[in-house]
Amino acid sequence: MRHRLEFAVVWCITRVLGALPREVARTVGAGVGAFAYAVLKRLRMVGVRNLEMAFPEWSEERREHTLRGVYRNLGYLLAEFAQMSSYTPDVARSLIRYEGLENYLAARGKGKGVLVLTGHLGAWELSSFHHSLMGFPMGMVIRRLDNPLVDEFVNRIRCLHGNKVLHKDDFARGLIAAMRHGETVGILMDTNMTPPQGVFVPFFGRMAATASGMARVALKTGAAVVPGFLLWSEDEGRYVLRFGERIELENTGDSERDAIANTANFTKVIESYIREYPDQWLWMHRRWKTRPAGEEGLY
C-alpha cells in the first residue's frame, strides 16, 4: 500500500508539472525546492556541514545562498524530468546546446567504448535523456529505487529514446560487455561508498570513499573516459551539455595502484566542475560519511 501511495504521488506531480508550460513548471519546481529547504532541516544541516568542509573560507551567508541555489536547481530538475518525455529534438535543441561534443565523438570513434564521468551536478537526469534524443543512446549505472513501482516509472521515461539502465548491484559484467561493443555508459561517481568497492581519494581536501569501478573497467577494456555534465547557464537561460577532453589513464601495470590513482584523478575532475558550479551540486549527500579506519565521523 505504501508503494502504491508513493507511486500515486510521484505520478500526480509528474503529470501536473508535465502539463504546465515549461517556464511555469520550472517556477513551481523552484517553489517546491524552496519549501524543501525550509522544512527538511536534517538535510539542510548536512548541506551546511559539507559546505563548511569544502569551502571553509566562505562566509555563512555565501554558504546559505549556495545551498538555496541547490534546492532551486533540484526544483528545476524536477520540472524538467516531468516535461522531458514530451521533448522533440527541435525543442531540446532550443533548450540545450552542446559544448565539446567533438570530445565525445572522438572518444567514441576509437571503438573501445566510452565511459562518461559524471555526477549529481546540474541536470543529470536530463543529460542522458537529451543525448539519446540527439541520436546517442547510452547506458546509465544507477541504484534501484526503493519503491519498485516508482523505479519502473522513472526508468521508462529515462529509456524512451534507447537508453539502457545498468543497476549498481549487477552492473559489472554488463558494463564490460558494453565497452567491448563500443557503447557509451554514464557513471555518477560522486557518492559515498564503502570498502571494498570504495577507495579513499582526496575530495575538497578530505579523503572520501569513492567507487573505483570506472577506473578498473577503463584499464581492463581500454575504454575512453570523458567528463560530461549538463549545467545551467544563467547568462544564456538554457542548459549546456559539456563534454571535456578525454582523461588519460595512468597504467603502470600495478592494477591496484593504478585504480586508486585514476579514481583520484577522476574525482579531481569532478571537483573542478563543482567548484565552477557549486550551487548545482547535491551538497545534502553525506559524501564523507565513510571514514578511514580509526578516524572519527564527520557528521
Side-chain angles (χ1 to χ4, degrees), residues 4 31 63 87 118 129 197 200 208 236 250 263 279 299:
R4 291 193 181 95
R63 295 191 196 107
Y87 290 166
T118 191
F129 184 88
Q197 292 85 3
F200 285 99
E236 298 183 41
E250 189 167 329
T263 299
D279 61 346
Y299 300 100

Side-chain angles (χ1 to χ4, degrees), residues 247-286:
I247 302 173
E248 295 299 325
L249 298 180
E250 189 167 329
N251 190 352
T252 66
D254 183 332
S255 60
E256 192 60 30
R257 178 192 176 281
D258 291 341
I260 295 173
N262 287 307
T263 299
N265 193 23
F266 298 163
T267 302
K268 184 178 179 180
V269 171
I270 292 174
E271 180 180 326
S272 70
Y273 279 87
I274 295 172
R275 286 185 178 277
E276 191 173 354
Y277 299 91
D279 61 346
Q280 297 189 42
W281 190 60
L282 196 65
W283 290 102
M284 296 80 76
H285 171 65
R286 291 192 291 175

Side-chain angles (χ1 to χ4, degrees), residues 10 15 20 51 66 84 87 107 121-122 151-152 156 168 173 184 193 196 224 228 243 256 263 278 286 292:
V10 171
R15 293 307 178 197
L20 295 173
L51 284 165
T66 297
M84 68 187 192
Y87 290 166
L121 178 68
D151 187 68
E152 181 183 359
R156 188 164 61 248
K168 280 188 175 181
R173 281 179 294 180
T184 299
M193 298 293 291
F243 283 108
E256 192 60 30
T263 299
R286 291 192 291 175

Side-chain angles (χ1 to χ4, degrees), residues 183-225:
E183 298 174 6
T184 299
V185 176
I187 299 180
L188 297 153
M189 219 192 83
D190 59 348
T191 57
N192 180 71
M193 298 293 291
T194 55
Q197 292 85 3
V199 297
F200 285 99
V201 298
F203 183 60
F204 283 94
R206 296 178 185 271
M207 301 305 286
T210 307
S212 61
M214 175 180 277
R216 298 180 193 277
V217 170
L219 288 168
K220 183 179 181 65
T221 64
V225 178

Side-chain angles (χ1 to χ4, degrees), residues 45-118:
M45 291 301 99
V46 171
V48 169
R49 174 61 174 149
N50 282 339
L51 284 165
E52 287 173 347
M53 292 190 289
F55 297 105
E57 72 281 7
W58 281 12
S59 65
E60 183 178 341
E61 291 74 20
R62 186 174 180 183
R63 295 191 196 107
E64 179 183 349
H65 178 75
T66 297
L67 197 56
R68 287 183 181 275
V70 173
Y71 277 88
R72 182 180 63 248
N73 182 65
L74 289 174
Y76 289 160
L77 181 55
L78 174 63
E80 297 292 355
F81 183 83
Q83 297 256 320
M84 68 187 192
S85 61
S86 65
Y87 290 166
T88 65
D90 285 342
V91 169
R93 289 189 190 96
S94 71
L95 307 177
I96 302 167
R97 73 170 176 87
Y98 276 109
E99 183 177 295
L101 179 61
E102 66 277 7
N103 294 322
Y104 167 75
L105 294 176
R108 193 181 69 158
K110 299 293 184 181
K112 293 188 176 181
V114 181
L115 293 167
V116 177
L117 172 67
T118 191

Side-chain angles (χ1 to χ4, degrees), residues 119-268:
H120 296 85
L121 178 68
W124 64 88
E125 284 286 358
L126 182 56
S127 61
S128 57
F129 184 88
H130 174 75
H131 205 44
S132 67
L133 191 57
M134 294 298 104
F136 306 109
M138 59 189 293
M140 302 167 288
V141 177
I142 61 171
R143 184 184 70 82
R144 296 179 193 272
L145 298 177
D146 294 334
N147 185 321
L149 298 176
V150 176
D151 187 68
E152 181 183 359
F153 175 70
V154 169
N155 286 335
R156 188 164 61 248
I157 295 174
R158 286 167 170 164
C159 300
L160 280 174
H161 300 286
N163 284 342
K164 295 187 295 185
V165 168
L166 299 175
H167 289 291
K168 280 188 175 181
D169 53 4
D170 59 3
F171 82 98
R173 281 179 294 180
L175 185 57
I176 292 174
M179 294 304 99
R180 288 177 175 164
H181 286 94
E183 298 174 6
T184 299
V185 176
I187 299 180
L188 297 153
M189 219 192 83
D190 59 348
T191 57
N192 180 71
M193 298 293 291
T194 55
Q197 292 85 3
V199 297
F200 285 99
V201 298
F203 183 60
F204 283 94
R206 296 178 185 271
M207 301 305 286
T210 307
S212 61
M214 175 180 277
R216 298 180 193 277
V217 170
L219 288 168
K220 183 179 181 65
T221 64
V225 178
V226 177
F229 298 91
L230 183 62
L231 303 156
W232 175 252
S233 171
E234 199 68 48
D235 292 340
E236 298 183 41
R238 62 176 174 173
Y239 289 102
V240 179
L241 181 49
R242 291 176 56 183
F243 283 108
E245 295 183 358
R246 176 178 178 170
I247 302 173
E248 295 299 325
L249 298 180
E250 189 167 329
N251 190 352
T252 66
D254 183 332
S255 60
E256 192 60 30
R257 178 192 176 281
D258 291 341
I260 295 173
N262 287 307
T263 299
N265 193 23
F266 298 163
T267 302
K268 184 178 179 180

